[in-house]
Amino acid sequence: MSLRIGVDLGGTNLRVALVQEDGKIIRDLERKTEAEKGPEYIIGMMVEMIRDIKGREFVKGVGIGCPGPLDPRTGVIYNPPNLPGWNSIPLASMLEKSLSEQVRVDNDANAAALAEAKFGAGVGAESVYYITVSTGIGGGFVLDGSLFQGATGYAGEIGNMIILPGGPTHNSLNAGALESLASGTAIGMAGRKAGIAEGAEEVFRLASIGDITAQGIINDAINYLSIGIANLVHSVNPSIFVLGGGVMKAESQVLDPLKEKVKSYVYPRLRDTITIVPASLGSKAGVIGAAFLIN
């Protein structure tokens, strides 16, 4: 069975894995990214970890999932907010030179989408729309087992979709963008405005014990997310939506009301065709999917 290497580069952790063709991880390594040390240090650590994982094995190549913005066609990283100093870093070409392996780079949400479509909650579906709701909101669209990237590689990035014109701003996103309304960060910010200082996790905890203010914040976020999903139902009509990310740790508080809200925003004849399920691969999705960025 052929092998490939996947790399999940995050602002907090760096994970590298040797992955079989069936998606099974043979061995993996994880270290703190130490993002403040900059790209040269992190890339050096990445090369070392890849060589350790590879050993004497023959691999098809190395796939890397990392935060955007980036260009998946050139493998250049353009200053992600959680990777300071990564301004126009040609990561793919740098690693190809160091490793003498084929290297592909793509958005971390796309990598997770590919993993869930091939080996996770989306197995068997013709088209899978993966959405991660965590610190931010990202997405990836997999059609017939392949990522649909669009003309410039930005297809699937729903975090900047305008849901509430003139709404709140967040980072460099549009005012009223989905991420500024329904992400874990947005829920935490709404909580702080309401006097709940501990962030999104505390908002969910308070809602679970009947706090009306906290439940109202969650209801708003679910409503905004359901509008975003309904827009996707009408525009690309995927076979299944797979939801991952930290907010889905509160699945019991989110999933059922989200499904009902989405149904209320779509054509009546579409309501019984919508499938929304939780992701199944957890933290492994990014590194597994990255490995399959290599064709």
Side-chain angles (χ1 to χ4, degrees):
M1 186 175 290
S2 64
L3 300 172
R4 49 184 78 214
I5 291 175
V7 180
D8 186 4
L9 170 59
T12 303
N13 296 308
L14 173 63
R15 188 175 187 184
V16 179
L18 185 66
V19 184
Q20 289 186 164
E21 204 67 26
D22 61 1
K24 181 180 177 181
I25 294 175
I26 302 302
R27 54 181 179 268
D28 64 346
L29 290 172
E30 184 171 337
R31 296 181 187 172
K32 293 296 182 184
T33 306
E34 300 179 274
E36 71 281 359
K37 293 187 176 180
E40 184 176 348
Y41 172 82
I42 296 168
I43 293 169
M45 179 169 58
M46 190 186 301
V47 168
E48 178 186 321
M49 292 171 71
I50 291 169
R51 286 174 174 160
D52 285 349
I53 282 291
K54 181 178 181 291
R56 296 180 178 274
E57 303 282 3
F58 172 81
V59 297
K60 293 185 71 171
V62 178
I64 303 171
C66 61
L70 57 82
D71 187 334
R73 289 164 172 75
T74 62
V76 175
I77 313 298
Y78 295 107
N79 206 22
N82 56 348
L83 292 175
W86 287 68
N87 189 15
S88 299
I89 299 295
L91 181 59
S93 62
M94 291 173 71
L95 290 180
E96 285 180 344
K97 183 177 180 179
S98 296
L99 299 168
S100 298
E101 299 283 356
Q102 176 188 195
V103 177
R104 293 289 179 270
V105 175
D106 209 330
N107 187 277
D108 47 9
N110 279 351
L114 197 55
E116 289 289 347
K118 286 181 171 292
F119 308 109
V123 168
E126 179 188 45
S127 53
V128 178
Y129 211 112
Y130 171 82
I131 299 172
T132 177
V133 186
S134 193
T135 304
I137 292 181
F141 185 41
V142 179
L143 181 62
D144 292 327
S146 299
L147 280 168
F148 180 80
Q149 294 182 313
T152 58
Y154 280 82
E157 285 306 308
I158 63 170
N160 204 26
M161 179 192 295
I162 298 172
I163 301 295
L164 183 66
T169 58
H170 175 61
N171 292 331
S172 58
L173 302 174
N174 289 314
L178 181 59
E179 184 171 311
S180 69
L181 297 165
S183 63
T185 300
I187 292 169
M189 290 175 66
R192 284 191 288 277
K193 288 181 181 178
I196 304 170
E198 293 84 359
E201 190 172 341
E202 180 67 3
V203 174
F204 278 105
R205 188 191 72 78
L206 290 173
S208 72
I209 58 174
D211 186 285
I212 294 174
T213 299
Q215 187 59 60
I217 292 169
I218 293 171
N219 289 346
D220 286 344
I222 288 172
N223 183 51
Y224 293 130
L225 182 58
S226 68
I227 293 171
I229 292 176
N231 289 341
L232 295 172
V233 171
H234 288 125
S235 57
V236 297
N237 194 24
S239 306
I240 189 171
F241 288 94
V242 176
L243 268 59
V247 168
M248 289 306 294
K249 292 178 181 177
E251 177 189 332
S252 62
Q253 293 169 267
V254 173
L255 199 56
D256 286 342
L258 178 68
K259 290 177 181 177
E260 291 306 308
K261 271 291 183 181
V262 171
K263 287 181 180 180
S264 73
Y265 288 126
V266 301
Y267 290 130
R269 68 184 305 268
L270 289 176
R271 291 172 186 167
D272 292 334
T273 70
I274 299 168
T275 302
I276 304 173
V277 301
S280 64
L281 297 177
S283 61
K284 297 177 182 179
V287 74
I288 294 172
F292 285 85
L293 295 173
I294 300 295
N295 294 322

